[in-house]
């Protein structure tokens, strides 16, 4: 199967999840706006989400997948099953202890980590503590889900793992529809959502477990034992957990700082949801598919194939994210207006959230490239180097956010996150290049420059049409008019970008078909 088909499988399922996520956020904006209950829910939900990234997605996609792939090669499916059960036993026990400790410590965590700015508001603080306590077991469900997703990805069964997140959005949309239908108060709506998160976590776990059974594997619960394989996993997983959760760590820092100003947490979340679409569809898909492919190529000694996989993945990422970054920067207000501006979400909210989205647009290529570059380290069982770079990025993010927030508000936090993303990208890229794990291609550099030119041409067309069609995109226009105009503008922009890119040589069909096809390369010593 070609890389592009694998990207499409994961990206398509992720796209479905992100579309449902948009629907969820649109209903959230209508029901809660950027009011205090929106701040409370997002603050409480961010914490289990952070730990999900730290202990689940980052750690297991980085550490578990290469070791699981090695077990399949060395000892077949029986060895891989045994390894999985050893890991499952330890993971289940550790997660249970973490959940109990965190539940008992929740008041302290909210006061000093999650939302220090809520400490002066007794009601807001109390509700945040209780909602975080309800949602924290979601971590346990999602961590076990991530482990089984890693198994599925290694076995080339990508769809079940990629489609599972859709169920979180479906359950939350159901809760929001019920709240809006019954005219529930904001507090009651937030409670519906909190219990919905927990229910969705259980449902996602069931979905991937069924996927594992369908792939011909099964997992039994073993008494936890720290076998050599499990110890190796933990050595790799701890730094990978920090690295994999770098975006969430930076967002958590931003949330803690933003909690000092009402509405700032919700504003960041609404903008975050938009840029998560290209990040998820392209970045996550590339990261999920590339890691087992790289690990397999390296285990077979095919260094040339590994380098080609890395470069082709970067090329694919840049081809799609450069125009997306330009579009998010230029059309930020129009996108927010169409998606959110109704009910409790007003024009003033559009201006703030739009400015945040524009800044995230600048950081988008960096956020996605990180997903394409990190597998170059993880496939070689090097998780410490990316962790060091993550520590640098977190320090920059924290210092920049603290400096800019008093002057710029929530957009200052977005600037800090984008800056940290680009610093991480540069460090990862130059290190891979210096170690010889990445091959410099002048042809790729030239095509990238031409893609930037193509995106700039597209941007000029967008600005021209934006001004001509301003009355149809204004807040006062009918929703159907705004949706139709924005949709037509995006279609024209895409056509301009792709036509320009193919005309000036930034891309060609042969390159796309040839370069995204994974072909075994000859073995190279080294």
């Amino acid at each position: 199967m070609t890389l592009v088909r694998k990207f499409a499988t994961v990206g398509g399922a992720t796209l479905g999840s992100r579309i449902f996520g948009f629907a969820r956020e649109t209903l959230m904006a209508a029901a809660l706006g950027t009011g205090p209950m929106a701040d409370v829910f997002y603050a409480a939900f961010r914490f289990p989400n952070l730990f999900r990234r730290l202990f689940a997605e980052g750690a297991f996609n980085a550490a578990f997948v290469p070791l699981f792939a090695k077990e399949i090669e060395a000892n077949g499916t029986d060895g891989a099953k045994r390894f999985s059960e050893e890991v499952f036993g330890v993971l289940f026990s550790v997660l249970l202890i973490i959940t109990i400790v965190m539940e008992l410590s929740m008041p302290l965590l909210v006061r000093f980590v999650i939302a220090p700015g809520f400490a002066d508001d007794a009601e807001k603080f109390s509700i945040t503590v209780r909602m975080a306590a309800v949602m924290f077991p979601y971590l346990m469900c999602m961590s076990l889900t991530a482990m089984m997703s890693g198994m599925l990805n290694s076995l080339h069964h990508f769809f079940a793992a990629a489609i599972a997140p859709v169920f979180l959005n479906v359950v939350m949309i159901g809760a929001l529809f019920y709240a809006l239908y019954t005219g529930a108060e904001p507090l009651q709506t937030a409670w519906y959502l909190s219990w919905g998160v927990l229910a969705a976590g259980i449902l996602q776990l069931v979905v991937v477990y069924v996927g594992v059974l369908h792939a011909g594997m099964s997992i039994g619960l073993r008494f936890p034992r720290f076998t050599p394989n499990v110890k190796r996993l933990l050595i790799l997983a701890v730094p990978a957990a920090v690295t994999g959760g770098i975006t969430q760590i930076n967002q958590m820092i931003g949330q803690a700082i933003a909690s000092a100003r009402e509405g700032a947490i919700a504003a960041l979340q609404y903008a975050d949801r938009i840029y998560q679409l290209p990040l998820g569809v392209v970045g996550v898909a590339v990261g999920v598919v590339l890691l087992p492919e790289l690990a397999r190529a390296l285990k077979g000694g095919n260094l040339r194939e590994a380098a080609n996989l890395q470069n082709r993945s970067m090329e694919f990422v840049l081809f799609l994210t450069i125009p997306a970054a330009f579009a998010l920067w230029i059309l930020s207000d129009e996108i927010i207006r169409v998606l959110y501006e109704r009910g409790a979400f007003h024009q003033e909210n559009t201006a703030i959230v739009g400015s945040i989205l524009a800044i995230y647009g600048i950081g988008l290529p960096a956020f996605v490239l990180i997903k394409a570059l990190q597998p170059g380290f993880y496939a070689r069982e090097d998780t410490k180097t990316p962790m060091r770079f993550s520590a640098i990025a977190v320090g920059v993010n924290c210092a920049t956010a603290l400096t800019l927030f008093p002057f710029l508000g929530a957009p200052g936090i977005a600037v800090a996150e984008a800056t940290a993303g680009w610093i991480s990208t540069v460090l990862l890229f130059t290190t891979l290049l210096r170690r010889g794990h990445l091959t410099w291609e002048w042809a790729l550099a030239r095509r990238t420059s031409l893609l930037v030119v193509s995106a700039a041409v597209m941007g000029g067309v967008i600005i021209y049409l934006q001004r001509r069609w301003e009355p149809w995109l204004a807040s006062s226009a009918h929703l159907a008019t705004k949706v139709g105009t924005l949709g037509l503008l995006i279609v024209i922009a895409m056509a301009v970008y792709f036509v320009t890119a193919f005309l000036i040589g930034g891309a060609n069909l042969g390159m796309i078909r040839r370069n995204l096809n994974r072909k075994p390369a000859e073995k190279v010593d080294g």
Side-chain angles (χ1 to χ4, degrees):
M1 181 186 285
T2 64
L3 274 182
V4 73
R5 285 182 62 192
K6 293 175 182 177
F7 292 159
T9 299
V10 179
T14 306
L15 175 61
S17 176
R18 293 300 194 262
I19 289 172
F20 278 105
F22 277 135
R24 181 189 91 195
E25 295 300 328
T26 299
L27 290 171
M28 281 281 289
L32 302 177
T34 56
M37 283 305 105
D39 275 353
V40 165
F41 173 76
Y42 282 128
F45 185 42
R46 177 78 74 188
F47 196 56
N49 228 20
L50 167 68
F51 276 79
R52 173 174 66 88
R53 293 290 177 88
L54 291 179
F55 289 97
E57 293 180 357
F60 276 94
N61 277 329
F64 179 79
V65 170
L67 294 180
F68 184 81
K70 185 188 290 184
E71 279 296 318
I72 291 177
E73 292 237 349
N75 302 308
T77 54
D78 289 339
K81 180 179 182 297
R82 184 173 58 253
F83 173 59
S84 300
E85 290 180 343
E86 291 171 355
V87 172
F88 189 87
V90 172
L91 181 63
F92 183 87
S93 304
V94 169
L95 288 170
L96 185 61
I97 294 169
I98 289 173
T99 300
I100 293 170
V101 171
M102 291 296 175
E103 293 284 359
L104 295 174
S105 308
M106 201 59 72
L108 291 174
L109 292 168
V110 172
R111 183 178 297 274
F112 296 108
V113 178
I114 299 175
F118 292 179
D120 296 332
D121 188 327
E123 183 183 8
K124 207 172 181 179
F125 176 81
S126 174
I127 296 169
T128 306
V129 170
R130 285 181 284 146
M131 285 187 182
V134 167
M135 289 188 279
F136 196 81
Y138 174 76
L139 158 71
M140 190 164 188
C141 296
M142 292 311 300
S143 297
L144 297 174
T145 296
M147 175 193 159
M148 288 188 241
S149 296
M151 293 173 62
L152 288 169
N153 293 334
S154 296
L155 294 167
H156 299 290
H157 289 256
F158 296 106
F159 186 74
I163 202 69
V166 170
F167 292 94
L168 171 66
N169 293 320
V170 169
V171 172
M172 292 180 73
I173 287 170
L176 284 164
F177 264 123
Y178 181 74
L180 290 168
Y181 177 75
T182 59
E185 294 294 318
L187 175 59
Q188 194 64 41
T189 301
W191 274 115
Y192 291 157
L193 289 167
S194 299
W195 286 106
V197 167
L198 181 57
I202 296 170
L203 186 57
Q204 288 173 262
L205 181 57
V206 171
V207 168
V208 293
Y209 182 69
V210 171
V212 169
L213 292 177
H214 179 69
M217 297 281 287
S218 63
I219 303 176
L221 183 60
R222 293 190 176 200
F223 187 80
R225 290 176 57 246
F226 286 92
T227 63
N229 274 336
V230 172
K231 290 177 183 176
R232 179 62 179 161
L233 175 71
L234 293 175
I235 290 170
L236 294 173
V238 171
V242 177
T243 306
I246 180 63
T247 301
Q248 287 288 320
I249 292 171
N250 284 332
Q251 289 176 344
M252 195 74 182
I253 293 169
Q255 174 181 288
I257 296 169
S259 65
R261 190 173 299 184
E262 187 168 304
I265 292 176
L268 287 164
Q269 174 62 30
Y270 289 133
D272 176 77
R273 170 55 59 183
I274 308 297
Y275 95 84
Q276 284 291 334
L277 176 64
L279 176 59
V281 172
V282 182
V284 173
V286 169
V288 165
V289 173
L290 182 60
L291 178 54
E293 292 291 317
L294 274 178
R296 190 172 295 106
L298 291 170
K299 293 292 182 297
N302 296 319
L303 303 188
R304 185 176 301 167
E305 181 187 8
N308 184 59
L309 283 167
Q310 189 88 62
N311 281 357
R312 299 294 67 79
S313 298
M314 288 174 56
E315 191 168 53
F316 179 78
V317 160
L318 292 168
F319 180 61
L320 296 179
T321 56
I322 289 174
F326 273 76
L328 287 178
W329 171 259
I330 299 168
L331 288 172
S332 56
D333 282 359
E334 287 77 9
I335 292 171
I336 298 300
R337 191 175 297 125
V338 167
L339 291 176
Y340 296 140
E341 196 178 286
R342 61 190 60 86
F345 198 100
H346 307 298
Q347 290 185 38
E348 296 78 11
N349 304 132
T350 296
I352 295 171
V353 178
S355 64
I356 295 169
L357 179 60
I359 296 164
Y360 278 153
I362 297 173
L364 176 63
F367 299 142
V368 180
L369 278 169
I370 287 170
K371 300 288 186 183
L373 291 169
Q374 284 176 345
F377 295 90
Y378 297 155
R380 295 172 172 87
E381 298 185 14
D382 176 10
T383 56
K384 291 183 179 179
T385 302
M387 183 187 69
R388 296 188 190 103
F389 297 159
S390 296
I392 294 170
V394 167
V396 170
N397 175 63
C398 190
T400 308
L402 285 170
T403 302
L404 296 180
F405 184 70
F407 305 102
L408 302 178
I413 293 173
V415 170
E417 291 178 15
T419 303
W422 276 110
I423 288 173
S424 289
T425 301
V426 170
L427 289 172
L428 291 168
F429 178 82
T430 54
T431 302
L432 285 174
L433 200 62
R434 180 172 53 81
R435 291 179 177 179
H437 297 160
L438 193 66
T439 304
W440 177 264
E441 293 181 2
W442 283 108
L444 176 56
R446 175 181 171 276
R447 283 195 294 271
T448 300
S449 301
L450 293 174
L451 291 177
V452 173
V453 172
S454 303
V457 172
M458 177 199 74
V461 172
I462 292 176
I463 292 171
Y464 172 76
L465 294 177
Q466 191 181 39
R467 292 172 179 170
R468 292 290 301 270
W469 296 348
E470 186 176 358
W472 300 335
L473 292 166
S475 298
S476 56
H478 190 275
L479 177 60
T481 302
K482 288 186 286 191
V483 171
T485 305
L486 181 61
L488 179 59
L489 188 53
I490 291 172
V491 169
I492 292 172
M494 290 173 61
V496 169
Y497 170 73
F498 287 121
V499 168
T500 306
F502 281 97
L503 282 177
I504 68 175
N508 63 75
L509 289 174
M511 175 269 293
I512 293 172
R513 285 195 303 265
R514 183 177 61 254
N515 290 346
L516 290 178
N517 186 23
R518 188 179 77 85
K519 297 179 180 178
E522 62 185 90
K523 187 170 180 176
V524 180
D525 294 331

